[in-house]
Amino acid sequence: MEQNIQLARHGLFDARVPRYTSYPTSPHFSADVGHETFVNWISAIPEGRQISLYVHVPFCRRLCWFCACRTQGTTSDAPVRAYLEVLKAEIELLRATLPKGVTLERLHWGGGTPTLLAPDMMTELAEAIYSVAPLAPDGEFSVEIDPNEIDDARLDALAKAGMNRASIGVQDFDPEIQKTIGREQSYELTESAITAIRARGIASLNADILYGLPHQTPEKITQSVQKLLSLSPDRVALYGYAHVPWMARRQNMIPEEALPSPQERLALFEVARKLFEWDGYTAVGIDHFALPSDGLSIAQKAGRLRRNFQGYTEDTSDVLIGLGASSISRFPQGYTQNAAATSQHIAAIRGGNFSTKKGHSFSANDKLRGRLIEVLMCDFKIDTGQIAKEFGLPKAEILLLIEPVASQFSDVVSLSNGVLKIPPAFRPLTRVISRAFDAYALSKTGHSSAV
Ligand SMILES: C[S@@+](CC[C@H](N)C(=O)[O-])C[C@H]1O[C@@H](n2cnc3c(N)ncnc32)[C@H](O)[C@@H]1O
Ligand code: SF4
């Protein structure tokens, strides 16, 4: 097939390309940016500004073999309670640094499994956060929910704390696939978690599913997507399974011979994409689907879609502070990242300091290239005039960056009237084309496959 030949020629089937949830990507962060810079950047937030806050809970009751997230297994509550105390101490450090009147446009609890916190812990955590920065009146509070690790009491606590968006992990409904990836979760369990979430008036629901899993076939993904559609999520993230056993050792449990080939992965994605679109969902960016009424679809239509560490978002704040082990923060000045090891993070906070280990200060060139990558990942096009206006630069300067990429990819993109566009047939190449704007990575970065 002609399209596949072009995709292959540009490296779709063999490339390891970052997902560009940041620019530069985190492997390029350095120890030059540490605690002092983090404190300075927080202090520079204007008083009364709306910001976003991410809280990482690096614990799970079970460790799913496919999972590449930073998390550790625990059967007891003791380390979770100890970690909650550390989070509260970190929030106190934030109180001492954060300018007055800051409110939260977005609050997100992720992990790991934030829903393994007991109800009283959830309430304590939310109260501690709101005492430093309350949720803005139209603010969004979202939580990653594992349907295996939730019950009425915990949902009540979350609803009381103001959760208004739930994000549930599904991955796949097929029992054979579930066994092979070490994540068993019946359809009935997922359905009852969703019913319980909606019963509490939490109307906004995201679901994560994966393509490229072992033993996945077009028939199986069709069944899984149809089952998911029957539950009417507002938003779906359709992530490509990243097989990175050198980083996530538990993935060694996954039989590599059962993994689909890169060409098969693309076919699986296409099957799922068509099913979502046939059912009325709008494709958003490279891997999301949302009902036309959902904020993400609306933002995409209005050209307001953004990309951050949580993927696609309509969040407009220019500050995202990450609390907890391994969390990344973003400021107008650059990125910072907390100690990845939970023990190191805990030690730093107990010592009275944030655990910032590394980061990156933006140069003017980073900001420009980062924005080019972001608009390409969000809109599949770059409008030279719009970027020139945004950055107060001559159009010719932006064109100097765009023209070489347009000629490198001349058979799969168009450039006319200063607008570079990726047509729908070649959107699977978006990350590969974005990489051509990445001044760092033309050295090797990223660890996940392009499809
Ligand atoms: C922090 S995890 C899940 C939250 C919650 N603990 C759960 O299991 O439902 C967030 C999402 O990351 C995605 N994810 C984890 N490992 C992945 C991998 N190896 N490749 C692609 N996506 C992955 C999954 O879709 C998962 O739902
Ligand atoms: S998928 Fe969720 S529950 Fe499973 S190991 Fe990853 S974070 Fe934990």
Side-chain angles (χ1 to χ4, degrees), residues 66-69 111-113 144-146 169 171 183 208 210 239-242 251:
F66 76 94
C67 180
C69 299
T113 303
E144 288 170 18
I145 294 180
D146 176 355
Q171 326 310 345
R183 162 89 178 204
D208 295 343
L210 298 177
Y239 295 127
Y241 166 59
Q251 289 185 349

